[in-house]
Each structure stands twice: as C-alpha cells, then as structure tokens.
Amino acid sequence: MPTFNTVIVSTLVDVENRLEDFGCTRQQIKAIGHTARAYADDASPSMPQNAAGMLSYIHGVGELRQQLVGSDYLPDRACGVESVVRRDRSVRIAFQNVDKSCADMPPLPRSEKGSGAAALSSPTLFEHAGVEAGPLTGVHDGIRTYYVMVGLDGSVELSCPVIEKGKYVDWIERIYIYSLDSDWEAAPDTDTGPIDDFEIQVSFKD
C-alpha cells in the first residue's frame, strides 16, 4: 500500500507562518495543550483509572473551543467527533491525547479511534494514490481534519493523521507547537525586523 511523504513543520518561524493558514496562533494551540495537561494532573488516586485522560479530553475540547470559536471557527460534531470547523478554509480541528508529540516517532493515540474519526480522515491512502476505493471506505465531507495532539509530557503538535481500523496509519502533516526538548522558550528570537526573501522550509519524511 502506498504511503505519504509527511510534511513536517518544525521551526518556530515556519510554524507561526503555517498557522496563519488556519487563522490561529501558536500561543492559542499551546494554551489548549497546557489546559488539558493541567486538568489531567489534577486527577487524584481516588478517581477512576481513566480520570486523567477523561479530564484532559473534556477540558482540552473546551479550551479548543474557548480559543477558536468566534474567530471564524464554529463548534462541530461531524460523525460524532467533537471539534471546531472553519469552512471558508476547509479545515476542522479536534483534540487527541497521545503518548508524546514533536518527536521523531509519530504520536500514538491513548485511546482507539472510532469509525467517526476514520470517516473524517481525508484523504485515504487509496485516494492519495488515485485509486477508487469504493463507497464503504469513507464518508468524509471534504474538510481536512487536524488534531491538537497533547502528550503525557505536555508536548503539543497540530497534525493531520490518516486513520484506519482505529489506528493512525500515516500522516499528511505534522506541525510542532511545543516540546520540553525545544529551545524555543529558552532562546526566543529577538530580531523583530522585517524578513527579506522569506520562504517556508518544510521537510518530508518517508
């Protein structure tokens, strides 16, 4: 089966410029991740075993909508996936707890993805290869679905996976937002002058 060349956007300037295409900022996406992890860390031993993940998801979705709804995004629940959508830019953003973001190894979801998430996954590997896969392989609405992916360590990325049979099987794009291993926070760019001949650099991973 064919695979994608994953677009990885990882440098601070490139990330901020790429997010302009979504109509949001790095700080907004970062805030979603930090809120989700703060509530997960509040889970106590007396709570159910899955409390941390549930609290992270509930408040992660809430912060997603708090940050983006009203800035041309609307709440969305297509195929049962809690998200926001901006139809004029053909983009949907949902929330997902993962093991770790912004690492060489792609994130693993901490819960199996349902049929709704798979239906919104677009394009499929078949479509990417130009193969007609038949009527039962997807019912997506033509809007590409990204996820704010929050790792156990607080790392955050905004990424577009291909979902099949409850798993991430490939990646269209990964946008690195925040990582404890990054030097973005420790060494911000103090040059605020204009950028000449700016060109976004992306890398492709087979």
Side-chain angles (χ1 to χ4, degrees):
M1 180 177 290
T3 60
F4 295 101
N5 286 324
T6 303
V7 176
I8 298 178
V9 185
S10 58
T11 67
L12 180 55
V13 171
D14 290 351
V15 167
E16 290 177 338
N17 281 275
R18 178 67 177 106
L19 291 178
E20 289 182 3
D21 296 331
F22 293 79
C24 63
T25 68
R26 176 175 169 265
Q27 290 304 317
Q28 287 177 301
I29 305 301
K30 182 179 172 182
I32 296 165
H34 283 192
T35 295
R37 283 311 310 165
Y39 278 96
D41 292 342
D42 276 347
S44 73
S46 62
M47 292 181 180
Q49 187 174 12
N50 64 345
M54 287 297 298
L55 289 170
S56 176
Y57 174 77
I58 291 168
H59 292 282
V61 171
E63 188 66 19
L64 169 69
R65 289 174 173 157
Q66 183 71 25
Q67 289 291 334
L68 298 184
V69 168
S71 59
D72 298 313
Y73 280 91
L74 297 172
D76 190 61
R77 295 182 175 87
C79 298
V81 177
E82 298 287 345
S83 63
V84 298
V85 66
R86 183 165 177 175
R87 298 188 182 279
D88 64 327
R89 300 200 180 188
S90 295
V91 63
R92 174 184 290 108
I93 302 177
F95 178 90
Q96 177 66 53
N97 290 312
V98 297
D99 60 340
K100 184 177 178 64
S101 294
C102 305
D104 290 338
M105 291 295 293
L108 294 174
R110 291 174 57 198
S111 60
E112 188 171 275
K113 304 305 295 177
S115 59
L120 294 178
S121 175
S122 173
T124 65
L125 295 176
F126 290 104
E127 292 166 324
H128 182 70
V131 176
E132 177 59 48
L136 299 180
T137 58
V139 294
H140 59 78
D141 55 4
I143 297 177
R144 182 161 289 183
T145 301
Y146 283 72
Y147 290 83
V148 177
M149 298 187 173
V150 180
L152 291 166
D153 61 352
S155 54
V156 185
E157 65 180 73
L158 178 65
S159 296
C160 182
V162 177
I163 301 170
E164 293 180 3
K165 297 180 180 178
K167 308 294 183 183
Y168 296 158
V169 297
D170 222 314
W171 299 81
I172 309 297
E173 182 176 19
R174 298 177 63 198
I175 305 170
Y176 293 179
I177 302 298
Y178 173 77
S179 171
L180 297 176
D181 300 328
S182 169
D183 60 1
W184 292 352
E185 307 301 321
D189 186 1
T190 57
D191 183 1
T192 57
I195 299 174
D196 295 328
D197 300 324
F198 176 75
E199 182 177 352
I200 292 179
Q201 300 294 320
V202 298
S203 58
F204 293 87
K205 180 173 288 187
D206 294 329

